[in-house]
């Protein structure tokens, strides 16, 4: 009676295959690989942007500690990886503007793994704002590059079997807390989220 448009079908398929191959341990190893890749890419982004190795390692260790409760075998771990990949793409496109075109397949793949892919176009939009404010186009990409990538990546969000249903899916999460309390969507508090 109530259709559930789940854009994370690719995660579901991958998790089912991993489980068939090796049960829960295989899922845990798969999750560890995805999280490791996300933090590895984040480390590279920080280093490429000029952060020192010790500061980068300490910052990412603190970030890992804060998000530790979210490092579970669920689709959102691919959003950690998608965010890091998008930031890496921004580093690459600073030297090779055509690399921005990779945002489209990245967001399309990400959207089929987790609906958090809407963050991809947002990151590109924020990069465009930063480039516009910076106005030092010799050091950064001209704002038109991330704007074009943002628009194309926004369209790539629809490249899932649910199409525009991804918008409904994301919209349903806005009022979800009022219907059914979900720990992920509650506001942080000192008792449960001291870090």
């Amino acid at each position: 009676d109530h259709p559930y448009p789940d854009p994370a079908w690719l995660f579901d398929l991958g998790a089912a295959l991993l489980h068939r191959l090796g049960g829960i341990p295989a899922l845990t190893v798969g999750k560890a690989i995805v999280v490791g890749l996300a933090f590895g890419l984040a480390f590279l982004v920080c280093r490429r942007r000029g952060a020192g190795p010790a500061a980068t390692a300490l910052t990412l260790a603190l970030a890992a500690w804060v998000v530790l409760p979210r490092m579970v075998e669920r689709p959102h771990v691919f959003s950690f990886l998608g965010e890091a990949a998008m930031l890496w793409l921004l580093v690459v496109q600073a030297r090779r503007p055509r690399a921005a075109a990779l945002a489209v397949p990245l967001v399309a793949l990400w959207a089929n793994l987790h609906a958090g892919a809407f963050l991809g176009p947002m990151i590109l939009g924020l990069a465009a704002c930063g480039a516009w404010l910076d106005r030092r186009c010799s050091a950064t990409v001209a704002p038109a590059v991330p704007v074009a990538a943002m628009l194309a990546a926004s369209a790539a969000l629809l490249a899932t079997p649910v199409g525009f249903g991804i918008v409904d899916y994301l919209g349903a999460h806005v009022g979800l807390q009022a219907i059914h309390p979900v720990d992920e969507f509650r506001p942080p508090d000192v008792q449960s989220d001291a870090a």
Side-chain angles (χ1 to χ4, degrees):
D1 294 343
H2 302 282
Y4 180 69
D6 184 9
W9 71 273
L10 192 54
F11 172 86
D12 297 339
L13 178 64
L17 291 173
L18 277 176
H19 190 268
R20 183 173 288 172
L21 287 172
I24 299 295
L27 288 170
T28 303
V29 168
K31 177 228 15 195
I33 290 170
V34 171
V35 170
L37 286 170
F39 278 92
L41 267 176
F43 184 86
L44 291 175
V45 168
C46 292
R47 294 291 290 132
R48 282 284 179 101
R49 297 291 294 153
T56 298
L58 177 62
T59 301
L60 291 176
L62 288 171
W65 181 55
V66 170
V67 300
L68 189 60
R70 301 292 180 245
M71 287 190 211
V72 293
E73 294 76 3
R74 298 212 28 223
H76 66 264
V77 296
F78 279 98
S79 280
F80 295 154
L81 182 56
E83 292 159 15
M86 192 60 68
L87 293 173
W88 176 252
L89 184 60
L90 289 173
V91 168
V92 171
Q93 82 164 15
R95 293 183 185 202
R96 288 178 243 142
R98 289 184 181 175
L102 294 174
V104 174
L106 172 61
V107 169
L109 175 62
W110 183 0
N112 286 280
L113 290 164
H114 186 246
F118 76 91
L119 293 169
M122 287 182 66
I123 290 169
L124 291 167
L126 291 170
C129 290
W132 179 77
L133 290 171
D134 193 8
R135 296 188 191 221
R136 289 179 286 158
C137 290
S138 61
T140 62
V141 175
V145 174
V147 165
M150 176 192 69
L151 294 173
S154 296
L157 284 172
L158 306 177
T160 70
V162 298
F164 279 99
I166 196 169
V167 176
D168 296 334
Y169 180 83
L170 290 167
H173 285 75
V174 174
L176 187 63
Q177 191 68 12
I179 299 168
H180 176 69
V182 178
D183 191 53
E184 298 172 18
F185 302 124
R186 70 171 170 71
D189 62 65
V190 175
Q191 184 176 8
S192 299
D193 308 288

